[in-house]
Amino acid sequence: MWAALLKKVWDIDVLKCPKCGGQMKVTSFIEQPSVIRRILKYLDLWQDPRPPPKPLELICEPDADYIPWQDDVPEIEVG
């Protein structure tokens, strides 16, 4: 399913052998993060995850020309 989706979206055949052009097949998946990390470290492809970015400071400069809206309509008593 995922190989067909990659072929459809990106027009790449991930199951085509880069050496001989023959059709490959998936025999298993590795899902355990510790095993994946160990393999990638062995291949020198592992990068430690970066820390989350620091939140940006909200900067609000007062607008010198701003005049709060004023209602000149007198209050209406309801009752």
Side-chain angles (χ1 to χ4, degrees):
M1 172 71 178
W2 56 271
L5 186 59
L6 287 171
K7 176 72 174 162
K8 184 176 183 179
V9 173
W10 299 105
D11 195 26
I12 57 171
D13 187 359
V14 294
L15 297 177
K16 181 179 178 182
C17 177
K19 293 183 180 178
C20 70
Q23 191 67 21
M24 299 187 297
K25 65 179 180 177
V26 177
T27 57
S28 67
F29 285 95
I30 301 171
E31 297 180 348
Q32 295 172 312
S34 61
V35 175
I36 296 169
R37 184 180 305 113
R38 190 170 167 196
I39 293 170
L40 291 176
K41 281 186 176 184
Y42 178 80
L43 296 172
D44 199 27
L45 296 173
W46 176 256
Q47 294 180 358
D48 288 321
R50 63 183 180 161
K54 295 179 182 177
L56 297 174
E57 282 188 38
L58 296 178
I59 300 173
C60 182
E61 297 179 9
D63 186 0
D65 298 330
Y66 173 74
I67 300 172
W69 181 69
Q70 296 177 353
D71 190 357
D72 295 334
V73 179
E75 292 289 324
I76 299 174
E77 291 184 23
V78 179

